[in-house]
Amino acid sequence: MFPYKGYAGKWLHVDLTARRVESRPYDRSMAEQYLGGNGFGARLLWEHVGPEVDPLSPGNLLIFSTGPLCGTLVPNPGRMEVIAKSPLTGIYGDANAGGFLGPELKFAGWDAVVVTGRSDRPVYLAIRDGEVEIRDGNDLWGLTASETEDAIREIWGDARVKTAVVGPAAENGVLFSGIQITPQRSAA
């Protein structure tokens, strides 16, 4: 029976264009054939993002993926992969980051979050107590990454909230900008 061996058994598909969030099963064969967050993300990118897809288009995927050891007591278990077709190179790009976001995703019941599409205005994804929603992010636009993290924590009234945010570099189209992950980690 799935989930097994360190997997929650589901991943989150987020379509920003349609403003739709959907839970999808984490296929057992994917877990067996493509170990960990990097394997899962690479396979999804390979299947869904062809060479003709512009990295900055709504057809690209942004994948946050954990592995089976994420959130366990094994040394360095907090690593999370961030995978997409790179805007800088136009080919496969991945980064991994430590911190608490990867384990928190796993504790919330998700092996991965896959984002596609494009929103017509700034938004952020909120995952809390089994609830997932796309929320307005207009008030966050233009803030630095640390200011954005502080603002989200204030909105939620919880200093323990974990985030993955971008700052003005990404907002202004810098092709090598990174994603800042709580606490002070970079996926870049």
Side-chain angles (χ1 to χ4, degrees):
M1 171 177 245
F2 201 77
Y4 77 106
K5 299 179 183 171
Y7 290 92
K10 61 183 179 174
W11 57 279
L12 190 60
H13 181 264
V14 180
D15 183 336
L16 293 177
T17 303
R19 293 221 190 297
R20 186 174 57 239
V21 177
E22 175 185 1
S23 175
R24 294 190 177 174
Y26 198 104
D27 186 272
R28 182 180 182 131
S29 66
M30 288 279 281
E32 292 171 347
Q33 295 176 20
Y34 303 98
L35 181 63
N38 201 335
F40 176 76
R43 177 58 192 240
L44 274 184
L45 200 66
W46 173 263
E47 286 179 355
H48 299 285
V49 180
E52 74 287 351
V53 174
D54 183 292
L56 295 175
S57 75
N60 197 4
L61 299 178
L62 178 60
I63 304 164
F64 296 84
S65 188
T66 66
L69 299 179
C70 189
T72 69
L73 296 176
V74 172
N76 296 316
R79 307 304 293 182
M80 177 181 62
E81 294 292 326
V82 181
I83 299 164
K85 188 173 187 181
S86 169
L88 183 62
T89 65
I91 58 176
Y92 175 85
D94 77 342
N96 74 53
F100 301 111
L101 185 60
E104 290 293 338
L105 280 176
K106 186 66 71 87
F107 300 153
W110 306 104
D111 291 306
V113 176
V114 180
V115 182
T116 189
R118 177 177 294 155
S119 177
D120 57 357
R121 63 184 182 274
V123 296
Y124 71 96
L125 183 68
I127 302 172
R128 187 174 194 174
D129 298 332
E131 299 293 320
V132 181
E133 64 179 309
I134 299 171
R135 300 194 60 162
D136 179 63
N138 268 334
D139 293 341
L140 305 173
W141 193 257
L143 301 177
T144 66
S146 59
E147 290 170 340
T148 301
E149 181 175 353
D150 290 343
I152 290 172
R153 286 177 168 173
E154 187 173 320
I155 289 166
W156 287 93
D158 187 347
R160 299 169 300 160
V161 168
K162 309 303 181 244
T163 64
V165 301
V166 298
E171 293 171 0
N172 288 298
V174 175
L175 299 181
F176 55 88
S177 59
I179 299 170
Q180 296 305 119
I181 297 180
T182 302
Q184 295 82 38
R185 304 287 198 259
S186 295

